Amino acid sequence: GAVVSQHPSWVICKSGTSVKIECRSLDFQATTMFWYRQFPKQSLMLMATSNEGSKATYEQGVEKDKFLINHASLTLSTLTVTSAHPEDSSFYICSARKGTDQPQHFGDGTRLSIL
Amino acid sequence: QKEVEQDPGPLSVPEGAIVSLNCTYSNSAFQYFMWYRQYSRKGPELLMYTYSSGNKEDGRFTAQVDKSSKYISLFIRDSQPSDSATYLCAPGGGTASKLTFGTGTRLQVTL
């Protein structure tokens, strides 16, 4: 149990376009979902925490107008990178958990390349 | 000082060896402790999850937590080449209720 699916796994797009990444909990209801960013050979950096039905909480230094997060249901959260530029190229990973103090389960990540 | 410190490695061991991976943390509010394994270009996979000080065993893996010294360990017995990955410690809890990841230790198990 506790499977998290992330889509797409890899996307390449032109500078200036917007990209949407989906994160779904397949076999459990996730009260909270998290979005991380990871650069090569570095650890995960938390971008935002998303609770179903409420606005996401962004970490310091993360632009909320740049990285739009929607958590419309207990099984789906989306991250939209708006007007993406080459410096936004990275590995984006979501996670989901059933409740407070429960472990986070991760998706397989989305590799975003902006040309 | 970082909240979670972890030796980045790489750590290279022969197949069958016992591996010891370690982590220290500074925030005494942390209440639960996770170990994740991450293969290249994949998301982290939960290996171990514990609340309290002491040992927790699951197959070849043993997690050890010492809250008094803020030190956590993961032991892998009979290591296999398929264990080659980056291991991330992630304590969490307290008022923030989110995980804080170490930098990860890269493990290479050789034949």
Side-chain angles (χ1 to χ4, degrees):
Chain A
V3 179
V4 176
S5 173
Q6 195 172 333
H7 179 81
S9 57
W10 194 9
V11 58
I12 302 173
C13 60
K14 292 181 180 179
S15 185
T17 59
S18 294
V19 178
K20 180 185 281 190
I21 302 169
E22 289 189 351
C23 180
R24 293 181 185 272
S25 54
L26 297 185
D27 53 359
F28 67 99
Q29 292 189 325
T31 56
T32 308
M33 289 184 168
F34 301 84
W35 288 95
Y36 294 83
R37 186 171 179 175
Q38 187 176 35
F39 290 105
K41 298 187 188 291
Q42 293 187 25
S43 192
L44 284 76
M45 183 189 79
L46 180 65
M47 298 175 68
T49 301
S50 169
N51 290 297
E52 186 263 340
S54 60
K55 288 184 179 180
T57 302
Y58 290 81
E59 294 298 301
Q60 193 173 8
V62 178
E63 299 174 59
K64 59 181 67 176
D65 294 330
K66 174 77 169 173
F67 299 100
L68 300 179
I69 292 171
N70 183 279
H71 192 164
S73 77
L74 284 172
T75 60
L76 173 65
S77 177
T78 61
L79 168 69
T80 301
V81 183
T82 62
S83 187
H85 291 284
E87 59 266 28
D88 298 322
S89 299
S90 189
F91 191 49
Y92 292 86
I93 314 174
C94 73
S95 71
R97 69 180 185 199
K98 298 175 190 177
T100 308
D101 293 352
Q102 292 295 305
Q104 292 181 30
H105 299 278
F106 286 82
D108 263 346
T110 296
R111 189 160 304 278
L112 176 62
S113 296
I114 309 298
L115 304 177
Chain B
Q1 182 190 7
K2 290 182 182 177
E3 273 197 293
V4 180
E5 299 268 9
Q6 197 175 357
D7 187 333
L11 175 63
S12 184
V13 301
E15 182 180 9
I18 297 174
V19 177
S20 171
L21 303 166
N22 306 300
C23 220
T24 58
Y25 63 93
S26 58
N27 189 344
S28 57
F30 288 144
Q31 298 167 350
Y32 48 85
F33 307 88
M34 323 275 185
W35 281 97
Y36 288 88
R37 175 174 65 193
Q38 186 177 24
Y39 292 109
S40 181
R41 298 173 182 257
K42 291 286 188 181
E45 170 194 0
L46 180 67
L47 281 178
M48 300 291 282
Y49 164 52
T50 181
Y51 267 114
S52 55
S53 281
N55 293 352
K56 181 176 181 179
E57 189 175 317
D58 185 1
R60 295 185 297 114
F61 299 93
T62 299
Q64 192 172 78
V65 175
D66 183 347
K67 286 187 177 181
S68 62
S69 58
K70 299 189 182 70
Y71 192 86
I72 52 181
S73 301
L74 178 71
F75 299 96
I76 307 174
R77 290 184 298 282
D78 187 25
S79 56
Q80 303 295 310
S82 57
D83 294 328
S84 298
T86 297
Y87 290 79
L88 300 156
C89 69
T95 55
S97 193
K98 58 185 179 182
L99 296 178
T100 302
F101 282 87
T103 53
T105 298
R106 192 156 60 92
L107 172 67
Q108 182 74 35
V109 181
T110 57
L111 292 169

